[in-house]
């Protein structure tokens, strides 16, 4: 036999529909539960042979026994084959037909004696035979009571012959028995139909939930991959940052150091880690510099100064030094300034400055050639004067095809026609305002296709010549990934909300009465069992109230069942208001009867609550001419105790029920309290 579930190939078979999956799971459930029920047939067969052998001719008995044994053996073999063979989706209808047919044969073999042998049996044997047949039918409810075809295939041929025999007898007693058996078949078939529907709905909900989980898992993997790629880019940036010979520091909005590169740490003569968290102006106080920093933070415009003098407060022996300073605003995803990037270049000695400048140019050239982003330099007339290899690869041009051409060749959309006006307007201001200005637009490749780009634009002057440096990044993949992720996340959130709402509604419906919205009996049993054990551990009082509407049948007969439902709902509203503690629960116990569990409440406290409920019901003044008071009233039975070790709650409910009957006997519309041990304890049953 295969391992549990390994032979169910339809679970992992590609292309299996939801309907096929649900059919397979339902069929597998009835196969597994039916296997254990077959032992009852093996046990009962010798018993029935013994009973029939008293009065039925031996040849008929042994012929029936052989046929039944053969049918049972063939069914056991069929069940065994199911668990040994791989089960694919396309084979499910054949397995179901075989399963139903095997049940029909076994049910027919067990049912035929009901018509053929019954006339031979005395009263005792007839009763035993009838109980066996009914027992087999009841056992089938436990084995495949959620599968309507299986129930019909087994129970109907099992019971119909016996019902037909009694109807054929024609006696009044026989007709009653025959009709009762037919009614039993109809009712059990209806119950099984409901069970099957509920099972399929539950399996469908679980199937949909698992599909959502699988989709979320796939999305999580894609997000992990995107985070990994981002981490690699961050590592590359950190490497470039730390390997730069310029002094660079990243500051937060309060001008505290977030990190510095090795060059900055070496110039300050302290480890890089010691800068983290320190305030820049606590180390280097300067009111004018602090004003400049705040201006960049507030306006979002970069600041640059050449040969700015600076005195090191912590290294006075260095005297006054001169620095080229770049202070760049760092923008977050929403465009706000989240920090500042400070870049310092020492130009104290002219020769050293020239050397460092040459190194800087060489370094930047290497970096620019290796960068994924493309750089394009244009003059104030919009002519291209320089490009990097990465930009040529991005747009599909050779460098010679771009030098001297108008930069609008690379621009798409509305910005192509407006670009010249932008440049002319900016140059006319005679101010250097552009530095790392980021815009999003369209680029146009050589073959004419458009693609989304992110452009960081900086203005500079070289030899008196005004130039614009554009750092261009192709964001096609990033934008597509963001769009897909946002759509997927929106779909997942919507599906999650639907599943959560459905689960909450199902959980409420399974534990509450649909008419009154109070707890149902099953929920009351679970709740009271848990709080009963808690009271045993803590040696606390427990009280039970049983509440019954007085003469409710007469109320229904006089006003109708719809009015009766309204009356029950009104009583439920009173209980909902008064029974509201976490350790208390009101439930509909059946018909017009309600039950209340009161935790940590003695008989006196419970009596006060019960009397409040009784008086409020009477105060509602719902007309009821069949009572002595002319309005709807309730009778209440109360029992309370401190449960001891091993004690059970059922006797306490029984005492409350007896008190309820005493209240009715006392004229109704009253509370009766069951006698309580002086210590309040409940002994073990």
């Amino acid at each position: 036999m295969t391992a549990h579930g390994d032979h169910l190939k339809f679970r992992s078979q590609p292309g299996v529909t939801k309907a096929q999956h649900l059919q397979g799971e339902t069929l597998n459930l009835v196969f597994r539960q039916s296997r254990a029920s077959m032992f009852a047939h093996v046990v009962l067969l010798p018993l029935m042979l013994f009973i029939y052998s008293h009065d039925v001719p031996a040849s008929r008995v042994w012929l029936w026994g052989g046929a039944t044994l053969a049918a049972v053996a063939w069914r056991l073999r069929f069940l065994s084959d199911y668990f040994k063979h791989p089960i694919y989706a396309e084979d499910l209808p054949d397995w179901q037909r075989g399963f139903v047919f095997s049940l029909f044969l076994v049910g027919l073999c067990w049912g035929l004696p009901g018509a053929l042998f019954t006339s031979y049996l005395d009263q005792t044997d007839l009763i035993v035979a009838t109980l066996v047949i009914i027992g087999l039918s009841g056992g089938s409810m436990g084995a495949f009571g959620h599968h309507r075809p299986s129930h019909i295939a087994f129970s109907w041929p099992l019971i119909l012959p016996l019902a037909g025999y009694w109807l054929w007898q024609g006696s009044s007693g026989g007709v009653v028995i025959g009709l009762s058996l037919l009614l039993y078949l109809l009712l059990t078939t209806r119950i099984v139909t409901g069970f099957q529907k509920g099972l399929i709905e539950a399996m469908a909900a679980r199937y949909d939930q698992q599909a959502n989980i699988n989709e979320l898992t796939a999305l999580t993997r894609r997000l992990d991959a995107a985070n990994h790629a981002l981490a690699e880019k961050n590592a590359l940036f950190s490497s470039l940052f730390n390997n730069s010979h310029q002094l660079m520091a990243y500051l937060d909005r309060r001008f505290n150091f977030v990190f510095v590169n090795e060059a900055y740490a070496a110039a300050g003569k302290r480890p890089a880690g010691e800068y983290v968290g320190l305030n820049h102006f606590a180390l280097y106080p300067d009111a004018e510099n602090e004003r400049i920093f705040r201006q960049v933070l507030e306006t979002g415009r970069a600041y640059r100064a050449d040969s700015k003098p600076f005195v090191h407060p912590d290294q006075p022996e260095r005297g006054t030094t001169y620095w080229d300073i770049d202070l760049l605003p760092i923008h977050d995803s929403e465009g706000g300034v989240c920090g500042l990037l400070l870049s310092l270049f020492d130009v104290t000695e002219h020769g050293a400055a020239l050397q460092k400048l040459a190194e800087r140019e060489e370094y930047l050239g290497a970096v620019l050639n290796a960068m994924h982003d493309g750089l394009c330099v244009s003059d104030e007339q919009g002519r291209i004067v320089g490009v990097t290899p990465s930009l040529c690869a991005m747009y599909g041009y050779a460098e010679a095809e771009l030098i001297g051409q108008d930069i609008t060749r690379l621009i798409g959309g509305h910005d192509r026609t407006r670009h010249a006006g932008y440049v002319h307007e900016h140059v006319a201001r005679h101010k250097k305002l552009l530095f790392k200005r980021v815009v999003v637009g369209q680029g146009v490749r050589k073959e004419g296709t458009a693609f989304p780009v992110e452009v960081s634009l900086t203005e500079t002057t070289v030899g008196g010549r005004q130039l614009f440096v554009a750092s261009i990044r192709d964001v096609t993949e990033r934008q597509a990934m963001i769009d897909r992720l946002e759509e997927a996340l929106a779909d997942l959130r919507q599906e999650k909300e639907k599943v959560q709402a459905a689960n909450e509604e199902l959980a409420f419906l399974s534990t509450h009465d649909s008419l009154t919205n109070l707890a149902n009996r099953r929920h009351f049993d679970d709740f009271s069992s848990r709080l009963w054990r808690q009271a045993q551990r803590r040696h606390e009082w427990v009280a039970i109230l049983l509440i019954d509407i007085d003469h409710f049948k007469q109320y229904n007969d006089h006003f109708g069942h719809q009015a009766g439902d309204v009356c029950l709902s009104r009583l439920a509203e009173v209980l909902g208001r008064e029974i509201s503690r976490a350790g208390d629960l009101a439930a509909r116990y059946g018909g017009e009867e309600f039950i209340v569990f009161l935790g940590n409440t003695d008989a006196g406290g419970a009596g006060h609550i019960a009397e409040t409920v009784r008086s409020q019901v009477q105060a509602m003044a719902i007309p009821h001419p069949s009572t002595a008071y002319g309005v709807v009233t309730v009778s209440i039975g109360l029992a309370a105790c401190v449960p001891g070790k091993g004690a059970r709650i059922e006797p306490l409910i029984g005492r409350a029920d007896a008190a309820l009957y005493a209240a009715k006997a006392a004229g109704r519309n009253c509370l009766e309290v069951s006698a309580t041990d002086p210590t309040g304890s409940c002994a073990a049953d």
Side-chain angles (χ1 to χ4, degrees), residues 8-29 82 87-96 147 200 203-204 207-208:
L8 303 178
K9 302 300 183 182
F10 67 84
R11 288 180 173 174
S12 58
Q13 184 179 353
V16 175
T17 65
K18 178 180 178 179
Q20 288 175 317
H21 181 88
L22 296 179
Q23 181 187 17
E25 293 296 343
T26 303
L27 190 60
N28 181 59
L29 182 60
Y82 171 81
I87 308 300
Y88 293 95
E90 57 270 19
D91 300 329
L92 291 173
D94 293 336
W95 282 106
Q96 177 164 307
H147 194 244
I200 291 176
M203 286 185 172
Y207 178 90
D208 293 339

Side-chain angles (χ1 to χ4, degrees), residues 31 50 68 102 115 155 178-179 182 267 277 334 340 359 406 425 434 494 581 590 628 647 667 682 685:
F31 264 97
F50 175 75
T68 303
S102 68
S155 292
L179 291 177
L182 290 178
E334 298 180 354
L340 301 174
E359 294 175 358
D406 196 284
E425 179 182 355
L434 293 181
Q494 186 176 7
R581 296 186 308 172
C682 293
D685 297 335

Side-chain angles (χ1 to χ4, degrees), residues 123-368:
Q123 185 176 5
T124 301
D125 291 341
L126 179 59
I127 292 174
V128 173
T130 302
L131 291 176
V132 169
I133 290 176
I134 298 299
L136 285 172
S137 176
S140 73
M141 290 284 289
F144 33 81
H146 53 275
H147 194 244
R148 184 173 181 268
S150 299
H151 174 73
I152 292 175
F154 181 76
S155 292
W156 283 71
L158 176 67
I159 294 178
L160 271 180
L162 182 60
Y165 169 80
W166 284 112
L167 291 173
W168 177 76
Q169 287 294 314
S171 63
S172 58
V175 171
V176 170
I177 294 174
L179 291 177
S180 298
L181 291 173
L182 290 178
L183 180 61
Y184 168 80
L185 285 176
L186 292 174
L187 290 178
T188 56
T189 301
R190 183 178 180 88
I191 291 171
V192 169
T193 301
F195 286 168
Q196 176 175 292
K197 181 180 179 182
L199 175 66
I200 291 176
E201 290 176 351
M203 286 185 172
R206 181 178 179 185
Y207 178 90
D208 293 339
Q209 186 178 24
Q210 187 62 42
N212 291 335
I213 292 173
N214 293 339
E215 185 177 351
L216 181 60
T217 301
L219 178 61
T220 302
R221 291 173 179 170
R222 292 197 295 271
L223 287 174
D224 289 342
N227 289 334
H228 179 71
L230 181 61
E232 290 182 344
K233 291 183 180 180
N234 286 338
L236 177 61
F237 171 77
S238 297
S239 176
L240 293 174
F241 187 79
N242 281 321
N243 290 330
S244 174
H245 62 275
Q246 290 182 275
L247 280 62
M248 302 182 73
Y250 178 59
L251 312 175
D252 63 18
R253 290 182 57 86
R254 296 181 179 179
F255 312 129
N256 295 323
F257 287 98
V258 178
F259 55 81
V260 301
N261 69 351
E262 295 298 330
Y264 196 104
K269 296 184 179 180
R270 67 175 67 196
E274 290 187 8
Y275 280 94
V276 178
L278 298 179
N279 187 271
H280 179 276
F281 294 107
L283 291 177
Y284 312 115
D286 188 305
E288 175 61 18
N289 283 345
E290 186 171 356
R291 184 192 65 79
I292 294 171
F293 276 48
R294 294 193 181 279
Q295 181 181 2
V296 173
L297 189 67
E298 293 170 359
T299 63
R301 292 195 294 267
Y303 169 81
R304 175 166 183 154
D306 297 328
S307 301
K308 186 177 179 65
F310 180 74
V311 178
H312 294 262
D314 55 343
Q315 301 178 44
E317 69 278 2
R318 296 183 61 180
T320 301
T321 56
Y322 296 86
W323 300 83
D324 286 346
I325 301 176
D326 287 312
L327 187 61
L328 310 179
I330 305 300
H331 297 274
D332 56 24
S333 59
E334 298 180 354
V337 179
C338 60
L340 301 174
L341 182 64
L342 176 63
S343 175
L344 304 173
F345 190 71
D346 189 353
V347 293
T348 303
E349 297 181 4
H350 182 68
L354 290 177
Q355 178 64 30
K356 289 183 179 181
L357 180 60
E359 294 175 358
R360 183 181 185 183
E361 291 176 348
E362 180 181 359
Y363 169 77
L364 288 177
V367 170
L368 293 177

